[in-house]
Amino acid sequence: VFNLRGNARTSGEDRRKEAGNVFGEGTRTPVTISLMVKDPSHTGPCELYYHDIGDYLSREEKLAIIENTGSIEGLEWHRITPNEEGDWINQRDPAFDRFISLGDKSGDETNTIFSTYSQGLLTGRDSWAYNFSHERLSENMSLMIDAYNEEVENFQRACEGLPKEKWPRVEDVISTDPKRISWTHNLKQSLNRGKAIAFDESKIVPSIYRPFSRAWLYFDRLLNERVYLMPKLFPTPEHENVVISVLGKGATKPFSVLASNTLPDYEMISKGQCFPMYWYERMKGESGKPQGELGFGSQAQVDEHGYVRHEAITDWALEHFRKHYGDESITKEDIFWYVYGVLHSPEYRSRFASNLKKQLARIPLARDFWAFSKAGRKLGELHLNYENVEPWPVKEETKLIMEDADWRVTKMRF
């Protein structure tokens, strides 16, 4: 396998290393030349040989290498043995699997740090549902909701008098003008059921759309394609919470992590998985009637909005950390910020870079718990309050980058 690189679905230093694609701008995917050699005299499993063309090479440089190589005999081949996970190159560090799991969606909380976690919000219509202006967002969503309700009426008229099996397809009736409405699968399903939607100003809430980029969001289960567990983490703007958003599986960007105290978008951190400090359980419905019961002997209090707050760090994690470090003063909040500190460790990110590309982050027990917990808390203060922290003192210098003569055009180039 001769790896010619050229993956344009990366960013930063990784993108610069991939550099030019041998097929030019016509493709964004990496390219390889694979040769399958059938040897009748060979016994045993197949043998894999690999050659990487190298970093930072332009398209022309790569084509020149291919031309000058001539045949497979012109390359230095490295024998590779896949590991148990099927990695050929960039193999995972097996020590990673011995670390503590952040969470487990199967419902087994026995050996995890967090009892629950969620992907970030996926609206399916960002240009409508997000805006830096509260007023503009209100206008946009009002117009789209009006357009949707008109389409509900149009569809009902088209189906009037017909048995359900004779109803036209939703796509054959609705307007697809992107300036009026943005359709998604779930919204079409709501229309098919004749579900009308009323605009609600209280559903405009603060959110974080991209790193250090806050925006207003119209947070509504019907008009957001996937809300996941976000209503339990940020049920109302009055309910305080902090989540650690970690790069999710399937992301092509370098590993990153960021804390947020407002509702995060799915791409705030690419394919972000959000691990909360708290989660909220609704005990009263909109009518004020009880919606659940507190367990016998529970010390939890129902707040004025009808919610009970639960800590997301598991009791198992608290006991495990206290026992390992021999320190009964460790709290669940200390563990939360310890996780944040570890995930920002350059040594951790460097050693386990291959694991973090393919697996959800796991947490080791470092030699010094408090060093990471305090560093994580300090980072959290900076990342959450970035708009209010004292600016770092810098000296601004201005100078001309180009002289007057450099602006004269002698030849137009494409």
Side-chain angles (χ1 to χ4, degrees):
V1 178
F2 185 12
N3 187 1
L4 307 179
R5 312 285 286 277
N7 185 4
R9 291 189 172 92
T10 54
S11 60
E13 189 63 21
D14 287 343
R15 178 68 190 95
R16 288 186 283 275
K17 287 182 178 180
E18 294 288 322
N21 193 295
V22 291
F23 293 128
E25 300 299 324
T27 182
R28 295 172 56 82
T29 57
V31 178
T32 64
I33 299 174
S34 302
L35 299 103
M36 318 300 173
V37 182
K38 186 175 183 179
D39 183 357
S41 63
H42 179 76
T43 58
C46 74
E47 297 178 0
L48 293 169
Y49 292 90
Y50 177 77
H51 181 85
D52 189 332
I53 200 166
D55 297 333
Y56 306 111
L57 297 175
S58 67
R59 175 175 183 262
E60 290 70 24
E61 289 172 323
K62 291 179 180 180
L63 292 174
I65 290 172
I66 296 169
E67 186 174 9
N68 294 333
T69 298
S71 74
I72 61 173
E73 296 176 353
L75 294 173
E76 180 182 354
W77 296 96
H78 300 282
R79 176 82 180 271
I80 59 175
T81 304
N83 59 16
E84 292 182 359
E85 289 78 19
D87 300 331
W88 288 20
I89 58 173
N90 302 324
Q91 295 189 354
R92 283 168 263 199
D93 189 324
F96 191 79
D97 290 328
R98 297 194 290 271
F99 297 160
I100 306 172
S101 171
L102 281 176
D104 188 344
K105 285 292 187 180
S106 68
D108 180 12
E109 301 175 10
T110 306
N111 299 317
T112 64
I113 294 177
F114 293 88
S115 62
T116 188
Y117 65 99
S118 172
Q119 283 191 347
L121 181 78
L122 180 64
T123 72
R125 50 182 62 81
D126 287 2
S127 59
W128 292 92
Y130 284 106
N131 208 294
F132 293 118
S133 165
H134 189 289
E135 182 180 356
R136 183 62 60 84
L137 177 60
S138 178
E139 293 173 358
N140 288 346
M141 289 307 300
S142 294
L143 289 171
M144 199 193 92
I145 289 171
D146 288 344
Y148 165 80
N149 288 330
E150 286 180 21
E151 296 299 329
V152 170
E153 294 175 4
N154 292 339
F155 185 73
Q156 289 176 334
R157 280 195 293 270
C159 299
E160 193 172 354
L162 298 175
K164 191 167 185 177
E165 60 271 14
K166 296 285 187 179
W167 284 8
R169 293 169 63 246
V170 169
E171 290 79 7
D172 295 336
V173 177
I174 61 175
S175 167
T176 57
D177 183 356
K179 293 182 179 179
R180 296 187 73 244
I181 192 168
S182 177
W183 290 105
T184 54
H185 172 77
N186 285 355
L187 194 61
K188 290 177 183 178
Q189 291 289 95
S190 296
L191 178 138
N192 192 58
R193 293 192 293 266
K195 177 76 174 178
I197 299 175
F199 174 77
D200 184 348
E201 190 82 25
S202 68
K203 292 183 177 179
I204 297 180
V205 300
S207 70
I208 182 161
Y209 183 59
R210 292 295 182 267
F212 307 110
S213 181
R214 298 177 189 270
W216 293 104
L217 162 71
Y218 194 83
F219 185 33
D220 181 87
R221 191 178 290 274
L222 289 174
L223 292 168
N224 301 144
E225 187 69 357
R226 295 285 187 273
V227 298
Y228 301 110
L229 297 181
M230 283 297 138
K232 286 189 174 183
L233 307 190
F234 295 96
T236 73
E238 286 73 34
H239 288 92
E240 295 182 354
N241 206 352
V242 180
V243 297
I244 298 173
S245 186
V246 178
L247 194 79
K249 289 188 288 186
T252 57
K253 295 180 174 63
F255 178 79
S256 54
V257 54
L258 188 64
S260 171
N261 55 8
T262 56
L263 203 151
D265 184 77
Y266 178 61
E267 289 293 336
M268 190 272 285
I269 292 294
S270 185
K271 313 296 182 288
Q273 298 286 349
C274 304
F275 295 86
M277 186 175 291
Y278 309 111
W279 65 275
Y280 292 88
E281 182 180 9
R282 189 164 194 170
M283 306 306 294
K284 293 181 181 178
E286 293 181 1
S287 63
K289 294 181 179 179
Q291 193 163 290
E293 293 183 3
L294 294 173
F296 178 76
S298 173
Q299 301 299 311
Q301 298 293 321
V302 180
D303 66 23
E304 59 182 314
H305 302 284
Y307 288 89
V308 171
R309 190 177 79 175
H310 301 277
E311 292 179 305
I313 301 291
T314 63
D315 293 337
W316 175 89
L318 180 63
E319 182 182 353
H320 188 70
F321 274 81
R322 284 178 172 179
K323 183 177 180 181
H324 179 83
Y325 292 105
D327 189 344
E328 291 295 315
S329 70
I330 292 174
T331 66
K332 291 185 176 182
E333 188 173 322
D334 295 328
I335 295 172
F336 182 88
W337 292 119
Y338 170 86
V339 169
Y340 200 55
V342 167
L343 293 176
H344 276 93
S345 163
E347 180 184 358
Y348 172 85
R349 292 190 185 200
S350 174
R351 177 177 172 182
F352 301 107
S354 295
N355 300 77
L356 293 169
K357 287 180 180 179
K358 303 162 187 173
Q359 301 171 257
L360 194 60
R362 300 177 73 91
I363 303 300
L365 294 169
R367 185 174 296 126
D368 189 340
F369 171 85
W370 288 109
F372 281 99
S373 183
K374 291 176 181 177
R377 190 182 292 270
K378 182 64 176 177
L379 279 170
E381 291 173 0
L382 292 170
H383 294 164
L384 295 174
N385 305 311
Y386 68 92
E387 292 177 314
N388 301 318
V389 296
E390 187 69 24
W392 188 260
V394 296
K395 180 181 179 182
E396 294 188 24
E397 294 183 357
T398 57
K399 62 180 180 179
L400 284 175
I401 299 174
M402 300 174 70
E403 301 297 331
D404 289 343
D406 294 330
W407 296 98
R408 186 177 298 280
V409 176
T410 56
K411 183 179 179 180
M412 296 294 290
R413 289 182 173 85
F414 177 71

